[in-house]
Coordinates of all heavy atoms in Angstrom, one line a residue:
A635 N -52.5 -42.1 -25.3 CA -51.2 -41.8 -26.0 C -51.0 -40.3 -26.0 O -52.0 -39.5 -25.9 CB -51.3 -42.3 -27.5
V636 N -49.8 -40.0 -26.0 CA -49.4 -38.6 -26.0 C -48.6 -38.3 -27.3 O -47.6 -39.1 -27.6 CB -48.5 -38.2 -24.7 CG1 -47.9 -36.8 -24.9 CG2 -49.3 -38.3 -23.5
I637 N -49.0 -37.3 -28.0 CA -48.3 -36.9 -29.2 C -47.3 -35.8 -28.7 O -47.8 -34.8 -28.1 CB -49.2 -36.4 -30.3 CG1 -50.3 -37.4 -30.6 CG2 -48.4 -36.0 -31.5 CD1 -49.9 -38.7 -31.1
G638 N -46.1 -35.9 -29.0 CA -45.1 -34.9 -28.6 C -44.1 -34.6 -29.6 O -44.0 -35.2 -30.7
K639 N -43.3 -33.5 -29.3 CA -42.2 -33.1 -30.2 C -40.9 -33.5 -29.4 O -40.7 -33.1 -28.3 CB -42.3 -31.6 -30.5 CG -41.2 -31.2 -31.4 CD -41.5 -29.8 -31.9 CE -41.5 -28.7 -30.8 NZ -41.5 -27.4 -31.3
S640 N -40.1 -34.3 -30.1 CA -38.8 -34.7 -29.5 C -37.9 -33.5 -29.5 O -38.1 -32.5 -30.1 CB -38.3 -35.9 -30.3 OG -37.0 -36.2 -29.9
T641 N -36.8 -33.7 -28.8 CA -35.8 -32.6 -28.7 C -35.1 -32.3 -30.0 O -34.4 -31.3 -30.2 CB -34.7 -33.0 -27.6 OG1 -34.1 -34.2 -27.9 CG2 -35.4 -33.0 -26.3
D642 N -35.3 -33.2 -31.0 CA -34.8 -32.9 -32.4 C -35.9 -32.4 -33.3 O -35.7 -32.4 -34.5 CB -34.1 -34.2 -33.0 CG -35.0 -35.4 -33.1 OD1 -36.2 -35.3 -32.7 OD2 -34.5 -36.4 -33.6
E643 N -37.0 -31.9 -32.7 CA -38.0 -31.3 -33.4 C -38.9 -32.2 -34.2 O -39.7 -31.8 -35.0 CB -37.5 -30.1 -34.3 CG -36.7 -29.1 -33.6 CD -37.6 -28.2 -32.7 OE1 -38.7 -27.9 -33.1 OE2 -37.1 -27.9 -31.6
K644 N -38.8 -33.5 -34.1 CA -39.6 -34.5 -34.8 C -40.7 -35.1 -33.9 O -40.5 -35.1 -32.7 CB -38.7 -35.6 -35.4 CG -37.7 -35.1 -36.3 CD -36.8 -36.2 -36.9 CE -35.8 -35.5 -37.8 NZ -34.7 -36.4 -38.0
Q645 N -41.8 -35.5 -34.5 CA -42.9 -36.1 -33.8 C -42.6 -37.4 -33.2 O -41.9 -38.2 -33.8 CB -44.1 -36.2 -34.7 CG -45.3 -36.7 -33.9 CD -46.6 -36.7 -34.8 OE1 -47.1 -35.6 -35.1 NE2 -47.1 -37.9 -35.1
M646 N -43.1 -37.6 -31.9 CA -42.9 -38.9 -31.2 C -44.3 -39.2 -30.6 O -44.9 -38.3 -30.1 CB -41.8 -38.8 -30.2 CG -41.4 -40.1 -29.6 SD -40.1 -40.0 -28.4 CE -38.7 -39.6 -29.4
I647 N -44.6 -40.5 -30.6 CA -45.9 -40.9 -30.0 C -45.5 -41.8 -28.7 O -44.7 -42.7 -28.9 CB -46.7 -41.8 -30.9 CG1 -47.1 -40.9 -32.2 CG2 -48.0 -42.3 -30.2 CD1 -47.6 -41.8 -33.3
V648 N -46.1 -41.4 -27.6 CA -45.8 -42.2 -26.4 C -47.1 -42.8 -25.9 O -48.1 -42.1 -25.7 CB -45.2 -41.3 -25.3 CG1 -44.9 -42.1 -24.1 CG2 -44.0 -40.6 -25.8
K649 N -47.1 -44.2 -25.9 CA -48.3 -44.9 -25.5 C -48.2 -45.3 -24.0 O -47.1 -45.4 -23.5 CB -48.4 -46.2 -26.3 CG -48.5 -45.9 -27.8 CD -48.3 -47.2 -28.6 CE -48.1 -47.0 -30.0 NZ -47.7 -48.2 -30.8
G650 N -49.3 -45.5 -23.4 CA -49.3 -45.8 -22.0 C -50.3 -45.0 -21.2 O -51.1 -44.3 -21.8
L651 N -50.2 -45.0 -19.9 CA -51.1 -44.2 -19.1 C -50.3 -43.1 -18.4 O -49.7 -43.3 -17.4 CB -51.7 -45.1 -18.0 CG -52.6 -46.3 -18.5 CD1 -53.0 -47.2 -17.4 CD2 -53.9 -45.7 -19.2
P652 N -50.4 -41.9 -19.0 CA -49.7 -40.8 -18.4 C -50.4 -40.3 -17.1 O -51.6 -40.6 -16.9 CB -49.8 -39.7 -19.5 CG -51.0 -40.1 -20.3 CD -51.1 -41.6 -20.2
P653 N -49.7 -39.6 -16.3 CA -50.3 -39.0 -15.1 C -51.4 -38.1 -15.5 O -51.4 -37.6 -16.7 CB -49.2 -38.3 -14.4 CG -48.0 -38.4 -15.3 CD -48.3 -39.2 -16.4
S654 N -52.3 -37.8 -14.6 CA -53.5 -36.9 -15.0 C -53.0 -35.5 -15.4 O -53.7 -34.9 -16.2 CB -54.5 -36.9 -13.8 OG -53.9 -36.4 -12.7
Q655 N -52.0 -35.0 -14.7 CA -51.5 -33.7 -15.0 C -50.1 -33.8 -15.7 O -49.2 -34.3 -15.0 CB -51.4 -32.8 -13.8 CG -52.8 -32.6 -13.1 CD -53.6 -31.7 -14.0 OE1 -53.2 -30.7 -14.6 NE2 -54.9 -32.0 -14.1
L656 N -49.9 -33.4 -16.9 CA -48.6 -33.3 -17.5 C -48.2 -31.9 -17.7 O -48.9 -31.0 -18.0 CB -48.7 -34.0 -18.9 CG -48.9 -35.5 -19.0 CD1 -49.1 -35.9 -20.5 CD2 -47.8 -36.2 -18.4
T657 N -46.9 -31.7 -17.5 CA -46.3 -30.4 -17.7 C -45.9 -30.3 -19.2 O -46.1 -31.3 -19.9 CB -45.0 -30.2 -16.9 OG1 -44.1 -31.2 -17.1 CG2 -45.4 -30.1 -15.4
T658 N -45.4 -29.2 -19.7 CA -45.1 -29.0 -21.1 C -44.0 -30.1 -21.5 O -44.1 -30.6 -22.6 CB -44.6 -27.6 -21.3 OG1 -45.6 -26.7 -20.9 CG2 -44.3 -27.4 -22.8
F659 N -43.0 -30.3 -20.7 CA -42.0 -31.3 -21.0 C -42.0 -32.4 -20.1 O -42.2 -32.3 -18.8 CB -40.6 -30.6 -20.9 CG -40.4 -29.5 -21.9 CD1 -40.7 -28.2 -21.6 CD2 -40.0 -29.8 -23.2 CE1 -40.5 -27.2 -22.6 CE2 -39.9 -28.9 -24.2 CZ -40.1 -27.5 -23.9
V660 N -41.9 -33.6 -20.6 CA -42.0 -34.9 -19.9 C -40.9 -35.8 -20.3 O -40.7 -36.0 -21.5 CB -43.4 -35.6 -20.2 CG1 -43.5 -36.9 -19.4 CG2 -44.5 -34.6 -19.8
E661 N -40.3 -36.5 -19.3 CA -39.4 -37.6 -19.7 C -40.2 -38.9 -19.6 O -40.9 -39.1 -18.6 CB -38.2 -37.7 -18.7 CG -37.3 -38.8 -19.1 CD -36.2 -39.0 -18.1 OE1 -36.5 -39.2 -16.9 OE2 -35.0 -39.1 -18.5
V662 N -40.0 -39.7 -20.6 CA -40.6 -41.1 -20.5 C -39.5 -42.1 -20.6 O -38.5 -41.9 -21.3 CB -41.6 -41.2 -21.7 CG1 -42.8 -40.3 -21.5 CG2 -41.0 -41.0 -23.0
I663 N -39.8 -43.2 -19.9 CA -38.9 -44.4 -20.0 C -39.8 -45.6 -20.3 O -40.9 -45.8 -19.7 CB -38.2 -44.6 -18.7 CG1 -37.3 -43.4 -18.3 CG2 -37.3 -45.9 -18.8 CD1 -36.6 -43.5 -17.0
G664 N -39.4 -46.4 -21.3 CA -40.2 -47.5 -21.7 C -39.5 -48.2 -22.9 O -38.3 -48.1 -23.1
I665 N -40.3 -49.0 -23.6 CA -39.8 -49.8 -24.7 C -40.1 -49.2 -26.0 O -41.2 -48.8 -26.3 CB -40.4 -51.3 -24.7 CG1 -40.1 -51.9 -23.3 CG2 -39.9 -52.1 -25.8 CD1 -38.7 -52.1 -23.0
A666 N -39.0 -49.0 -26.8 CA -39.2 -48.5 -28.2 C -40.0 -49.5 -29.0 O -39.6 -50.6 -29.1 CB -37.9 -48.2 -28.9
D667 N -41.2 -49.2 -29.4 CA -42.0 -50.2 -30.1 C -42.3 -49.8 -31.6 O -43.1 -50.4 -32.2 CB -43.3 -50.4 -29.4 CG -44.3 -49.3 -29.3 OD1 -43.9 -48.2 -29.8 OD2 -45.3 -49.4 -28.7
G668 N -41.5 -48.9 -32.1 CA -41.6 -48.5 -33.5 C -40.6 -47.4 -33.8 O -39.9 -46.9 -32.9
Q669 N -40.6 -47.0 -35.1 CA -39.7 -45.9 -35.5 C -39.9 -44.6 -34.8 O -39.0 -43.8 -34.7 CB -39.8 -45.7 -37.0 CG -39.3 -46.9 -37.8 CD -37.8 -47.1 -37.7 OE1 -37.1 -46.2 -37.7 NE2 -37.5 -48.4 -37.6
N670 N -41.2 -44.4 -34.4 CA -41.4 -43.1 -33.7 C -42.3 -43.2 -32.5 O -43.0 -42.3 -32.1 CB -42.0 -42.1 -34.7 CG -43.5 -42.4 -35.0 OD1 -43.9 -43.5 -34.9 ND2 -44.2 -41.4 -35.5
S671 N -42.3 -44.4 -31.9 CA -43.2 -44.6 -30.7 C -42.5 -45.4 -29.6 O -41.7 -46.2 -29.8 CB -44.5 -45.2 -31.1 OG -44.3 -46.5 -31.5
I672 N -42.9 -45.0 -28.4 CA -42.5 -45.7 -27.1 C -43.7 -46.1 -26.3 O -44.7 -45.4 -26.2 CB -41.6 -44.7 -26.3 CG1 -40.4 -44.2 -27.0 CG2 -41.3 -45.3 -24.9 CD1 -39.6 -43.1 -26.3
S673 N -43.6 -47.3 -25.8 CA -44.6 -47.8 -24.8 C -44.0 -47.5 -23.5 O -43.1 -48.2 -23.0 CB -44.8 -49.3 -25.1 OG -46.1 -49.7 -24.9
A674 N -44.5 -46.5 -22.8 CA -43.9 -46.0 -21.6 C -44.5 -46.6 -20.4 O -45.6 -46.9 -20.2 CB -44.1 -44.5 -21.5
D675 N -43.5 -46.9 -19.4 CA -44.0 -47.4 -18.1 C -43.6 -46.4 -17.0 O -44.1 -46.6 -15.9 CB -43.5 -48.8 -17.8 CG -42.0 -48.9 -17.9 OD1 -41.3 -47.9 -17.9 OD2 -41.5 -50.1 -18.0
K676 N -42.8 -45.4 -17.3 CA -42.5 -44.4 -16.3 C -42.6 -43.0 -17.0 O -42.1 -42.8 -18.1 CB -41.1 -44.6 -15.8 CG -40.8 -43.6 -14.7 CD -39.5 -44.0 -13.9 CE -39.3 -43.0 -12.8 NZ -38.1 -43.3 -12.1

């Protein structure tokens, strides 16, 4: 899981298998599985 700050300055949790190297900013596409979390597949 990746803990991140959304563009509205609020915390967001992204579950899944991120690439081994992440840059500071990442776009994720997936299914919203909660009020503040996404299950990402891309």
Side-chain angles (χ1 to χ4, degrees):
V636 171
I637 308 299
K639 184 168 61 170
S640 176
T641 56
D642 59 358
E643 302 290 321
K644 297 178 180 161
Q645 182 174 292
M646 190 180 287
I647 300 165
V648 183
K649 303 169 191 169
L651 296 172
S654 59
Q655 296 293 318
L656 290 175
T657 57
T658 303
F659 295 94
V660 177
E661 180 188 53
V662 294
I663 299 175
I665 303 298
D667 64 0
Q669 292 294 318
N670 72 338
S671 66
I672 298 172
S673 217
D675 54 19
K676 184 168 185 185

